[in-house]
Amino acid sequence: MKNKFVVSALLAALVSTAAIAEVNSLRGDIGTGEGNEVEAVKKIPHSQERLGLDYVNQPPLIPHSTDQVQLNPSNNGCLECHDVNTYRKANAPRVSPTHYMDRDNKILAEVAPRRYFCLQCHVTQVDAKPLVENEFIPAGKFGE
């Protein structure tokens, strides 16, 4: 039992030493040590024009702020406007019918648990430069 404790303590010391090692940012060869300034959070307009999609099956971007939207296991604020029963009153896009299917394609009465947390796939659109260079070319404007 004492050996297990010693091994665990040594392992913890090794892991904590590795955690102190210098880590580089996605923004380039700038270390994440003291003195680095964090870039300001992008301002998201209250509402903006919806952007088209860049590829087939891309989750649509959210054209409004989600700061005040509650999204937790007991409440999904997105459904207050986007649910099939409320989207017309809110003049909002309806949740896709695929979100009401389980993994066996069985139709459910409520949003499927695997699709419940909207912000896993859908992100708020913001005009921001990419963190890293890429050569992505949109495959067309499927959402227009």
Side-chain angles (χ1 to χ4, degrees):
M1 186 68 156
K2 197 172 191 180
N3 288 339
K4 286 184 181 179
F5 176 75
V6 171
V7 170
S8 296
L10 288 173
L11 185 59
L14 180 65
V15 169
S16 64
T17 304
I20 296 171
E22 186 66 26
V23 177
N24 288 332
S25 166
L26 289 175
R27 291 175 180 86
D29 291 333
I30 301 169
T32 57
E34 290 184 38
N36 289 341
E37 293 188 23
V38 177
E39 191 173 324
V41 175
K42 302 290 182 207
K43 297 289 183 197
I44 300 169
H46 178 65
S47 185
Q48 55 188 316
E49 188 110 355
R50 285 177 32 196
L51 297 176
L53 305 179
D54 290 326
Y55 57 90
V56 176
N57 294 328
Q58 174 188 348
L61 299 172
I62 302 170
H64 59 79
S65 174
T66 56
D67 290 346
Q68 303 299 317
V69 177
Q70 279 194 4
L71 194 56
N72 56 51
S74 60
N75 183 35
N76 184 329
C78 300
L79 295 177
E80 291 176 14
C81 295
H82 297 280
D83 191 30
V84 293
N85 299 320
T86 59
Y87 79 96
R88 286 190 178 123
K89 290 180 220 155
N91 195 26
R94 175 182 51 82
V95 173
S96 169
T98 60
H99 288 49
Y100 289 87
M101 295 178 178
D102 66 9
R103 64 181 176 195
D104 299 321
N105 291 329
K106 179 182 170 194
I107 305 293
L108 306 172
E110 301 292 326
V111 171
R114 67 188 184 133
R115 302 287 186 112
Y116 185 79
F117 293 100
C118 308
L119 300 178
Q120 288 181 137
C121 300
H122 302 276
V123 297
T124 304
Q125 67 187 30
V126 63
D127 186 20
K129 62 181 181 181
L131 293 177
V132 295
E133 261 187 63
N134 70 70
E135 298 175 8
F136 176 76
I137 299 171
K141 297 294 183 180
F142 295 99
E144 292 182 349

